[in-house]
Amino acid sequence: MVADRVNRVAPSATLGITAKAKALKAQGKDVVSLGAGEPDFDTPEHIKKSLYDAVEEGFIYYTPSKGILELRRAIAEKFKKDNSLSYDPEKEVIVTPGAKQALYEAILAITNPGDEILIPSPFWVSYEPMVQLADGKPVFVPTYEDEGFRLTPEDVAKEITNKTRGIIINSPNNPTGAVFRMEDLREIAELCAAYDLIAISDEIYEKIIYDQEHVSIASLPGMRERTITINGFSKAYSMTGWRLGYAAAPEELITAMARVQEHSVSCPTSFVQRAGVAALEGPQDDLNAMVREFRKRRDVLVDGLNEIEGVTCVKPEGAFYAFANFSAYGKDSFKLAEELLEKAGVAVIPGAAFGSLGEGYLRMSYATSMDNIMEALERIKKALKGMHHG
Ligand SMILES: Cc1ncc(COP(=O)(O)O)c(C=O)c1O
């Protein structure tokens, strides 16, 4: 009954385990969750207020498909200020219901059947199915723990064929927390120009970064005309459920994405777009406070993990995930995650959910309280004591 295109796609493994943890909690089990893919902070007050005001004013109708011009202007300003990139808000910016929708539209806009799209691996769970739904072929470029999960130009070059159409860049990275290096991105940009590739740069964690400067690949020489930069409000402003994201790219690509959007979702939610303006133009204090808190939690979690026998974890430079190596315990990561959930009451995401290179790893989100992090560490330590490791 179901079309091949959809049958090719696996269900989201991250949603699977979080659902199981929630079900156990609902049964009254004491579960500490490090599974979250969203900040545990509330949306800042001034952003909420702008939404209430918009609804009160009756701003409840369809908007232009690419989003209200006021928000597209604020987004263009943001690109100028933060990323030294200049975009025409009328032609080169689109507002979408979540960064995820922008990513899907971007992939649909550039992929012909059989085209290969490079994806650095381990990778965020939705890239592979999105490429499959677009009838493209996902091709993975490995990144390794002992290199801090950086994406190297050498590994990218190895995977380029005459079918390669584009590359997905995700820095700061989910699940590894890596921030790709400027010198690597420069050489990857040269490869994109040499082989006529389009970069889709998912910068949703741009603002959640610790000791590094964020680099937009579109700002590197020759890249503005061949990059679709994706960003959104979910992580920086704690607005995951609001569904608001955006993309900037040359007019031809934005027009193509707009065609998909017009015929699928029509437009992003009207009053949520007003709140987006408030988020970008209003005070950034809540964001800064959240990042300070994430940094403290990261240090406690990562140091704690490295103290556990047989476990190693590189210090993530961005996002709010630790990607820790448990391969000494020799289990498949789905089994290990299940065991930790059932025996220790700790919910984590199996590394293999992020591609086969994630096998042996567990992703732990520190978008949860310091108390939860410390409790989880204790429980994991105790649970692992009873397990043999190599
Ligand atoms: C790497 C990455 N890109 C995109 C998204 C989706 O963001 P949004 O909520 O804006 O659709 C997520 C959310 O988890 C993510 O981790």
Side-chain angles (χ1 to χ4, degrees), residues 150-169:
R150 64 188 262 250
L151 178 65
T152 72
E154 295 75 24
D155 285 322
V156 172
K158 272 188 217 153
E159 302 302 333
I160 295 175
T161 70
N162 59 5
K163 290 244 170 87
T164 311
R165 175 72 177 127
I167 179 167
I168 292 175
I169 302 287

Side-chain angles (χ1 to χ4, degrees), residues 344-364:
V346 178
V348 297
I349 310 291
F354 308 97
S356 57
L357 274 170
E359 189 51 284
Y361 292 82
L362 297 174
R363 191 195 75 176
M364 304 185 178

Side-chain angles (χ1 to χ4, degrees), residues 50-60 271 274:
S50 69
L51 175 132
Y52 304 145
D53 290 348
V55 175
E56 282 294 319
E57 276 170 35
F59 194 67
I60 49 94
F271 39 85
R274 277 278 188 81

Side-chain angles (χ1 to χ4, degrees), residues 37 98-100 103 124 127 170 174 202 204-205 234-235 243:
K100 207 168 192 169
L103 281 160
W124 176 57
Y127 299 138
N170 174 215
N174 178 6
D202 178 354
I204 190 88
Y205 294 102
S234 283
K235 317 287 173 171
R243 312 310 302 128

